[in-house]
Amino acid sequence: MMDTIVAIASGPGRGGVGVVRLSGPDAIAIAAAIAGAAPREPRTAVYRPFRAPDGELIDLGLVIEFPAPASFTGEDVVELQGHGAPVALQALVAAAVAAGAREARPGEFSERAFLNGKLDLVQAEAIADLVAASTLTSARAALRSLAGEFSDRVSDLMRDLVGLRVQVEAAIDFPDEDIEILGAPAVTEALAGLLAATGDLLDRARAGVIVGQGARVALVGAPNVGKSTLLNRLCGESRAIVTATAGTTRDLLREQVDLAGLAVEFVDTAGLRVTDDPIEREGMRRAWDAAQGANLVLALATNAAEAAELTRIFAQLDKTERPFGIISRSQAETERTFGKGSQPASSPAPPWLWVQNKCDTSLPALGEQWLPISALQGSGVDALRAAIRSTLTAGAAGDDAFAARERHVRAIERARAYLDAARRDLESGQGAELVAEQLRLGQEALGSVCGDISADDLLGEIFSSFCIGK
């Protein structure tokens, strides 16, 4: 049996109301030791004095009992709601510890809810995402995951994958008929459907990471191309120093912006050009790192020659000397124009948006992939904001995105890779055992998303990132 834990469940600092939460087999008895005997009407607030072990008054407040199993954790839970003075709340925790409770670890309440089957792992993580949400859009995305939208999609895939495994493993049980079973249209169609559905889920999850966790956008280009002016325009205030002197920006400048409900960190970088100046070269290296670590790159240029030079510089900065995959409106057009990138599918290069700055925006842009703006005058910037947001959230269906994490993306990528391997084995006439093993590994990877299949070290890593009291 688990012990009883206690923690402050309200936010840090002073407030009108503060909450101390208890969970475990002795929660009700420990609350009674602090607040005295109270009518045990579940989920009914009772006004009581809160006292220390020596009888000294700590606070006056409400006691609410949530008997198991109808509670957040599935255990007996009691909330002591008093005034939001940190010293009073800490005194309540100390009184609970003196009565037999233990101070909770970060995320331990949510961990117990998961272990007791009250939440799956995605829903538990969504609680932390909701607490950390910095925009209304990210809060709504976290609520959708908490309500089970993400989990339901994973569960549907798991059900279909199990159904396919049943058909394939039947070929193992009846080896004389394995060719007929594996060659049946139902098997190939089911696998194709699973691959398509997993790809769609992967796109939604990648968009969900950005909606839930926020995005980073790097501004790159030659010196004096207007990067700092554009940053100021996007921020709505003067944050970056702007001068006519080339090379004013040497280090990275980061600014957080609420972009129509999407939390975006814009990163202004040093101008890129051929130079022997060691300080500028270090700035260029940092610009490259910022671009590689961004979710989106805004490539600023005033003409096609500057764009070509920018592409050449980035190709030189890439130590592997592979063509840098620049994604415009059409992937096929991109590959014809700039060369096919060789980034692995699991870690694609961030998409690029080409921005033609310092131009007369009444004239057509230099090419289809260019967005014409004037950062100085502000013309075209609203269209750029919309393009940034739509590019970052590609894969999310409008504003109904659910929150996701990189862990989920990696797990779905693994699942899809195993399903694709099963498809190749099926097409090449491999035995049922090999196909079944790939499907089993795919199910295992997919199961780790919601915690159907999870390791103890994974749980420890996830819940340690939660705040105390959750």
Side-chain angles (χ1 to χ4, degrees):
M1 180 180 294
M2 290 187 174
D3 54 0
T4 300
I5 55 175
V6 62
I8 298 172
S10 48
R14 294 175 175 84
V17 177
V19 179
V20 170
R21 178 182 290 164
L22 292 142
S23 180
D26 298 324
I28 293 175
I30 292 172
I34 296 172
R40 292 191 176 180
E41 290 294 330
R43 292 167 291 282
T44 300
V46 180
Y47 183 67
R48 301 293 300 172
F50 301 151
R51 298 185 181 277
D54 60 3
E56 184 175 352
L57 185 66
I58 297 174
D59 198 358
L60 298 169
L62 302 176
V63 182
I64 308 177
E65 297 179 359
F66 303 88
S71 71
F72 172 70
T73 63
E75 305 171 332
D76 286 340
V77 171
V78 180
E79 288 188 358
L80 305 176
Q81 301 183 3
H83 296 89
V87 290
L89 296 174
Q90 289 291 351
L92 280 176
V93 171
V97 170
R102 170 178 63 78
E103 289 197 56
R105 293 180 281 101
E108 192 167 1
F109 287 90
S110 297
E111 182 179 10
R112 290 189 177 199
F114 166 71
L115 294 174
N116 291 328
K118 306 296 287 188
L119 300 169
D120 64 33
L121 207 49
V122 167
Q123 291 173 306
E125 289 169 305
I127 294 173
D129 293 337
L130 181 58
V131 171
S134 58
T135 68
L136 183 59
T137 298
S138 59
R140 287 172 173 167
L143 277 172
R144 292 187 190 98
S145 287
L146 180 57
E149 289 189 25
F150 188 10
S151 304
D152 288 346
R153 289 176 177 271
V154 175
S155 296
D156 289 345
L157 271 175
M158 288 281 283
R159 182 193 63 242
D160 293 343
L161 180 50
V162 169
L164 179 58
R165 285 189 63 190
V166 169
Q167 296 182 65
V168 172
E169 292 186 12
I172 300 175
D173 295 333
F174 302 97
D176 292 339
E177 303 174 21
D178 62 345
I179 295 177
E180 180 180 348
I181 294 174
L182 294 182
V187 172
T188 55
E189 290 172 6
L191 186 50
L194 274 170
L195 277 166
T198 306
D200 177 67
L201 181 63
L202 182 57
D203 289 341
R204 294 290 302 276
R206 284 173 174 158
V209 171
I210 290 175
V211 172
Q213 308 294 318
R216 180 175 292 117
V217 176
L219 283 68
V220 302
N224 268 5
V225 79
K227 299 184 298 299
S228 297
T229 303
L230 179 57
L231 177 70
N232 291 339
R233 180 69 63 177
L234 291 168
C235 293
E237 57 182 308
S238 181
R239 304 296 294 173
I241 297 174
V242 178
T243 73
T245 304
T248 299
T249 302
R250 295 294 186 93
D251 208 344
L252 303 179
L253 177 62
R254 304 175 185 272
E255 289 298 327
Q256 194 81 18
V257 175
D258 184 341
L259 195 67
L262 188 67
V264 178
E265 180 187 68
F266 287 98
V267 185
D268 188 15
T269 66
L272 302 176
R273 62 180 174 181
V274 177
T275 178
D276 292 328
D277 186 325
I279 298 178
E280 282 199 67
R281 291 179 67 84
E282 174 61 18
M284 289 173 61
R285 186 192 66 78
R286 296 186 182 192
W288 164 254
D289 290 342
Q292 286 289 82
N295 301 104
L296 175 67
V297 175
L298 293 187
L300 274 69
T302 61
N303 53 58
E306 285 182 353
E309 178 67 5
L310 179 61
T311 305
R312 188 185 68 81
I313 289 174
F314 264 83
Q316 287 182 342
L317 284 171
D318 187 350
K319 302 306 181 184
T320 61
E321 296 184 352
R322 60 176 175 262
F324 198 80
I326 302 175
I327 301 177
S328 61
R329 295 174 187 264
S330 165
Q331 181 66 43
E333 177 188 68
T334 296
E335 293 177 1
R336 289 196 302 270
T337 306
F338 300 104
K340 185 175 177 63
S342 58
Q343 295 279 2
S346 60
S347 57
W352 283 46
L353 281 178
W354 283 101
V355 181
Q356 184 182 354
N357 192 27
K358 297 181 179 179
C359 65
D360 182 349
T361 55
S362 66
L363 298 176
L366 294 177
E368 185 184 351
Q369 74 266 31
W370 291 77
L371 292 172
I373 71 161
S374 172
L376 188 62
Q377 301 299 325
S379 57
V381 174
D382 286 344
L384 175 60
R385 288 192 180 100
I388 293 170
R389 197 183 191 285
S390 63
T391 302
L392 288 172
T393 58
D399 289 327
D400 65 347
F402 49 72
R405 295 187 171 195
E406 287 292 346
R407 179 186 74 81
H408 306 145
V409 171
R410 293 193 299 270
I412 298 169
E413 284 176 342
R414 291 197 306 274
R416 195 170 192 278
Y418 286 126
L419 291 177
D420 194 47
R423 177 190 59 78
R424 293 194 304 269
D425 288 345
L426 199 61
E427 290 176 350
S428 61
Q430 299 293 334
E433 291 84 355
L434 290 177
V435 177
E437 177 63 9
Q438 299 290 5
L439 294 178
R440 184 191 68 79
L441 292 171
Q443 182 183 347
E444 185 176 292
L446 200 58
S448 68
V449 173
C450 293
D452 298 329
I453 303 170
S454 55
D456 291 341
D457 56 348
L458 173 63
L459 297 182
E461 177 185 347
I462 289 171
F463 289 107
S464 65
S465 66
F466 282 47
C467 59
I468 302 290
K470 279 302 199 183

